[in-house]
Amino acid sequence: MKLTDMRPEQEGRVRKLEGDAHFISRITSIGITEGTEFQTIRNDRKMPVLVYLRETLIAVNRPDAERIEVEAV
Amino acid sequence: MKDRIALLGQPNSGKSTVYNALTGSRQHVGNWPGKTVEKNDGFYTYKGKRYTVTDLPGSYGLSGNSDEEIITADFIKTGQADLVCILVDASQLERSMYMVAEFAAMSKPAILLLNMMDVARSQKKEIDHVLLAERLGIPVLPFTAAESSGYEALKELLARELESPHSLRSVPKLPKEAGSAAETVHAESEAKYLWVRDMLAGVTGDRQAHFELSRRDRRLLSPVLGKFLCFGTIVVGFLAAMIICLPLMGAGSMIPQLLNKPIFNLLTSWNVHPWLVSIFSIILPNTLYFCVAMSGFVFGVNLVFGYLEEIGFLARAAYQFDSLLSGLGLQGKAICPILMGFGCTIGGTCGTRVMDNWGQRMLTMAVVWAVPCASIWTIIPVISSMFFTPLQTMLVIVGILLYVVVLMTVVSKVFGRTLVPENARSGMIMELPPYHKPHWKHIAKEALLKAWDIFRRALRTVTLISLLFWVFSYSGSGNVADSLLYKVGTAIEPVTRIFGLGWRTFMGFLSSAFAKQAVLGVLNVVFVGDGTVLDATFRSAFSVATDNAVLGNAMTEAVSKAEALAFMCACTFNIPCVMALSTTYRESHSLKWTVRIAAFYVCGALVLSCIVYHIAALVL
């Protein structure tokens, strides 16, 4: 499933990042790589998704969040 | 002699705090050659030696995702710095160490600052910096940038490392090319994070198992309540900024009052030419007043919004309004300057300092100009009520507000294409920093620095424009008909008529570009013949109130309803004022763009006035 499908408080792991090198570089430099475990904090309609990973609260805009394949753990 | 230091760090790493604390007011701002990215150079002296510091643009990595990253990587690779001072956030060490991993490949001399140690300590995070230094092979200094006590040690370390530099001992082992470009990038990033994990093993304690939003964040980040809270906080913040700057502005307004008469008397008694008398007794004291008022404003805004930024509020506001503003090509953070624009365009303009890069900043300034400031709301209802019923006046105001949205969209379309190119527009991926305890001393110091800077620089611009206006409005006899403004105004009246403006309302329009609060005074001069344009423009702040009833009668006789409507539109959407113009130039460091945007607004106001006039003439 996609990051945008996660429920708040649900924990997950990044499975795959879909996008060009530019996108991958941008998203990995802030700490999101394949295999990274995270905790979903908020996922509200029309708002960026809030996740907590690598000790950081990160907001990911929805179009980009849809390119992040995740699995619940 | 090796004396060139560069500061490298991710956004929110406290890089600019260190830069400002090191260099103070010995800074130079320019642009990187051929790029719309701000270049900050400064210097400081330590033990009799001079050191230059370059504040490299903040970015999350060095892989060339943006102009900022390309510039930073080039700067380091080509050896333009003798020592790179890397800043990481000690409270989020694993993630921010990624910058060190990116830097490692360049094998240049460096030191590592573990910044925000105060936050890390408050989160009970222990960091074994000795072990980390041993593994990395470069000095590691625990630091809190906003506290002045640590800088002596930093300067000493920098001096020592410039003499005998160290480079990273360990670098990430990058994999061979792994298929597509995207796959390679990904494999490399993974290798970098693995390296970071190795470096940090045993350096930091266990990671926090479960994260909980604080009560403050639960409210601030909720979709509906949070928007109201953010909105309210910005409004309250703006009011606080106003309260802080009021005494300064009050003191500033005393300058012309105190200086005008004595200078006038003195110079007249010396038989100085009336031209010079009016320059020295009216223009210069008022210019000084404008600049004091401006810098007072800049101080208040920087103090309050410096505080809101430091505690992490601005990042929350950006999160709340990102979806809304991304339609304009703007970042969520732009919400603050835009809302501040309703109070004062100068405030909004210098509020754009929170934006991430120059292009975003310039575009936000251009958009802020479209927001009608408080002064406009003091003149529009007055003029409107001369011609229209209260209900119609309400409609005028609603119409203006609707047009604000249209204009903001147009501005972002027109200028956004160049300032924030489509391919550089990327959706928000940002961290929301943990709540930081504000360091007031540091915030106040930065605000003062900024205010002084604006004052120093604006004095020139405002004097120049004031003199220009003076040349046009000066009349030896005190009669309007003797001024250049009148002669030019009446000469081009056939043209201004197309826009629905007679020579008198056109004068009002011109004065609205100078200062919105001058409009009523100038109208009074040209319609009632009371006083001089010069006095009305420069002394509007404390001149006796114009008799609106008399002005109303005179205006309604000479001006049709359609013309009045056109005039109000033209004034509202003209250049905000000479101080806003000057602030924009000073904050953007770009004369080209300031002039471009000013020209756009003057033309836009005239076109709008033209359209409104011709449609209204048919209807009214």
Side-chain angles (χ1 to χ4, degrees):
Chain A
M1 66 181 164
K2 293 169 181 157
L3 180 57
T4 42
D5 300 327
M6 292 290 279
R7 276 179 291 108
E9 287 306 306
Q10 204 176 10
E11 301 200 355
R13 184 185 297 123
V14 178
R15 275 192 52 221
K16 192 147 181 48
L17 302 172
E18 308 272 357
D20 56 5
H22 179 81
F23 170 73
I24 304 287
S25 175
R26 234 158 51 84
I27 199 113
T28 53
S29 68
I30 202 163
I32 303 176
T33 53
E34 283 167 21
T36 311
E37 293 189 1
F38 65 91
Q39 186 188 337
T40 320
I41 304 299
R42 287 203 82 106
N43 184 1
D44 300 306
R45 248 161 37 86
K46 290 188 181 172
M47 297 282 284
V49 185
L50 273 186
V51 292
Y52 183 78
L53 52 86
R54 296 188 206 268
E55 301 174 292
T56 313
L57 188 57
I58 293 171
V60 184
N61 67 87
R62 290 198 91 77
D64 283 344
E66 280 184 12
R67 293 149 83 179
I68 302 175
E69 268 302 312
V70 298
E71 61 191 357
V73 285
Chain B
M1 193 177 84
K2 293 188 168 171
D3 58 2
R4 297 170 304 170
I5 301 159
L7 300 175
L8 174 70
Q10 295 185 335
N12 301 313
S13 61
K15 209 163 45 69
S16 47
T17 307
V18 173
Y19 173 69
N20 286 331
L22 281 177
T23 58
S25 56
R26 292 153 304 219
Q27 300 181 349
H28 172 80
V29 193
N31 268 29
W32 293 89
K35 296 276 197 298
T36 52
V37 177
E38 213 171 78
K39 184 176 198 292
N40 290 292
D41 288 308
F43 70 90
Y44 69 91
T45 44
Y46 177 69
K47 293 198 172 152
K49 248 186 98 173
R50 188 181 146 124
Y51 298 90
T52 62
V53 186
T54 303
D55 186 13
L56 293 169
S59 62
Y60 282 107
L62 293 175
S63 306
N65 288 313
S66 60
D67 278 355
E68 279 80 4
E69 295 191 10
I70 294 166
I71 287 167
T72 305
D74 274 358
F75 189 87
I76 298 170
K77 273 187 204 151
T78 52
Q80 294 181 62
D82 301 312
L83 182 65
V84 179
C85 175
I86 313 170
L87 283 95
V88 292
D89 183 344
S91 70
Q92 309 174 349
L93 202 51
E94 182 185 328
R95 193 188 51 75
S96 61
M97 279 281 288
Y98 184 75
M99 189 52 117
V100 183
E102 290 264 88
F103 171 82
M106 303 183 190
S107 59
K108 296 283 177 195
I111 66 164
L112 183 66
L113 277 196
L114 296 181
N115 195 17
M116 322 230 181
M117 279 306 287
D118 57 336
V119 182
R121 272 188 213 112
S122 75
Q123 293 175 351
K124 309 227 161 23
K125 285 179 181 159
E126 301 277 345
I127 299 168
D128 187 346
H129 63 93
V130 181
L131 178 61
L132 183 59
E134 205 172 287
R135 281 204 189 129
L136 293 173
I138 59 170
V140 175
L141 183 68
F143 202 69
T144 301
E147 280 168 12
S148 48
S149 55
Y151 283 91
E152 193 58 29
L154 174 61
K155 285 178 185 171
E156 211 235 294
L157 179 63
L158 288 170
R160 202 173 60 222
E161 286 299 309
L162 279 164
E163 290 294 323
S164 51
H166 293 86
S167 297
L168 284 168
R169 176 180 300 151
S170 165
V171 293
K173 282 194 187 61
L174 297 184
K176 294 231 168 60
E177 293 221 1
S180 74
E183 279 161 7
T184 309
V185 170
H186 191 263
E188 287 185 2
S189 317
E190 267 182 350
K192 285 170 190 161
Y193 280 110
L194 277 177
W195 175 82
V196 169
R197 189 158 292 180
D198 285 347
M199 288 298 111
L200 293 181
V203 169
T204 49
D206 284 339
R207 252 195 270 169
Q208 196 180 332
H210 189 78
F211 177 78
E212 284 242 1
L213 283 178
S214 65
R215 249 180 51 179
R216 185 200 316 255
D217 265 349
R218 273 206 298 277
R219 290 190 191 135
L220 214 49
L221 297 176
S222 73
V224 181
L225 177 67
K227 283 199 181 59
F228 279 106
L229 285 176
C230 285
F231 186 86
T233 308
I234 296 169
V235 171
V236 170
F238 183 78
L239 290 177
M242 292 287 273
I243 292 169
I244 292 164
C245 73
L246 271 178
L248 260 167
M249 292 179 91
S253 75
M254 301 291 285
I255 298 171
Q257 276 174 309
L258 290 174
L259 293 183
N260 172 259
K261 274 267 148 31
I263 294 180
F264 180 83
N265 291 338
L266 186 71
L267 293 184
T268 319
S269 73
W270 289 353
N271 283 327
V272 174
H273 193 279
W275 272 52
L276 290 176
V277 176
S278 91
I279 288 183
F280 281 102
S281 67
I282 299 180
I283 308 290
L284 292 185
N286 276 287
T287 306
L288 205 58
Y289 159 48
F290 283 165
C291 291
V292 169
M294 255 169 85
S295 50
F297 225 65
V298 171
F299 175 72
V301 166
N302 274 290
L303 194 68
V304 171
F305 286 85
Y307 165 77
L308 289 178
E309 186 176 28
E310 187 162 299
I311 65 169
F313 168 81
L314 289 190
R316 270 85 180 157
Y319 160 78
Q320 286 289 0
F321 293 98
D322 190 69
S323 313
L324 189 71
L325 289 170
S326 60
L328 292 178
L330 292 171
Q331 295 173 323
K333 283 182 185 175
I335 192 70
C336 296
I338 288 172
L339 287 181
M340 281 152 74
F342 279 101
C344 172
T345 315
I346 305 165
T349 307
C350 59
T352 58
R353 68 173 208 134
V354 300
M355 310 302 295
D356 286 344
N357 60 55
W358 185 87
Q360 279 282 350
R361 205 168 167 204
M362 193 73 237
L363 184 61
T364 311
M365 285 189 219
V367 169
V368 166
W369 276 32
V371 179
C373 73
S375 294
I376 289 174
W377 302 118
T378 63
I379 59 167
I380 294 300
V382 173
I383 300 174
S384 180
S385 60
M386 291 172 189
F387 294 87
F388 303 107
T389 64
L391 188 71
Q392 287 169 323
T393 299
M394 287 284 288
L395 284 176
V396 169
I397 290 172
V398 171
I400 286 177
L401 284 175
L402 287 179
Y403 186 69
V404 170
V405 180
V406 175
L407 187 57
M408 279 164 86
T409 317
V410 172
V411 169
S412 68
K413 285 270 178 298
V414 171
F415 295 111
R417 235 176 314 152
T418 343
L419 287 173
V420 187
E422 207 68 51
N423 58 16
R425 282 183 199 192
S426 31
M428 174 169 76
I429 302 178
M430 67 180 287
E431 57 151 321
L432 304 188
Y435 176 78
H436 288 202
K437 226 172 79 196
H439 297 266
W440 277 109
K441 218 173 101 188
H442 156 72
I443 297 170
K445 220 164 110 186
E446 292 217 332
L448 263 177
L449 212 67
K450 201 90 196 157
W452 169 242
D453 192 51
I454 281 282
F455 178 78
R456 223 164 29 117
R457 293 157 184 272
L459 211 51
R460 247 193 343 222
T461 324
V462 179
T463 310
L464 200 75
I465 298 175
S466 297
L467 281 175
L468 204 69
F469 201 81
W470 171 83
V471 169
F472 276 96
S473 59
Y474 182 80
S475 100
S477 62
N479 191 337
V480 179
D482 285 331
S483 70
L484 204 56
L485 205 60
Y486 172 82
K487 286 178 187 130
V488 175
T490 44
I492 63 168
E493 195 172 26
V495 179
T496 60
R497 277 274 168 227
I498 301 172
F499 306 115
L501 299 170
W503 76 267
R504 284 181 283 211
T505 40
F506 188 69
M507 270 186 158
F509 170 71
L510 289 183
S511 68
S512 74
F514 191 81
K516 290 284 185 279
Q517 62 270 32
V519 170
L520 286 180
V522 169
L523 289 177
N524 202 42
V525 174
V526 290
F527 282 102
V528 187
D530 196 8
T532 69
V533 178
L534 201 61
D535 273 348
T537 313
F538 284 96
R539 307 172 72 183
S540 52
F542 51 91
S543 65
V544 269
T546 49
D547 189 335
N548 291 330
V550 177
L551 175 60
N553 283 336
M555 275 189 81
T556 41
E557 266 173 39
V559 176
S560 75
K561 281 187 178 183
E563 282 175 290
L565 207 56
F567 172 67
M568 285 189 284
C569 292
C571 279
T572 306
F573 297 106
N574 197 357
I575 293 171
C577 66
V578 64
M579 289 185 277
L581 185 77
S582 159
T583 315
T584 303
Y585 171 46
R586 289 308 164 195
E587 292 280 317
S588 67
H589 311 285
S590 169
L591 187 61
K592 188 179 89 182
W593 278 98
T594 310
V595 169
R596 245 184 230 188
I597 289 164
F600 173 86
Y601 273 87
V602 174
C603 298
L606 287 174
V607 169
L608 174 70
S609 156
C610 177
I611 296 170
V612 167
Y613 171 68
H614 288 286
I615 293 177
L618 295 175
V619 183
L620 292 172

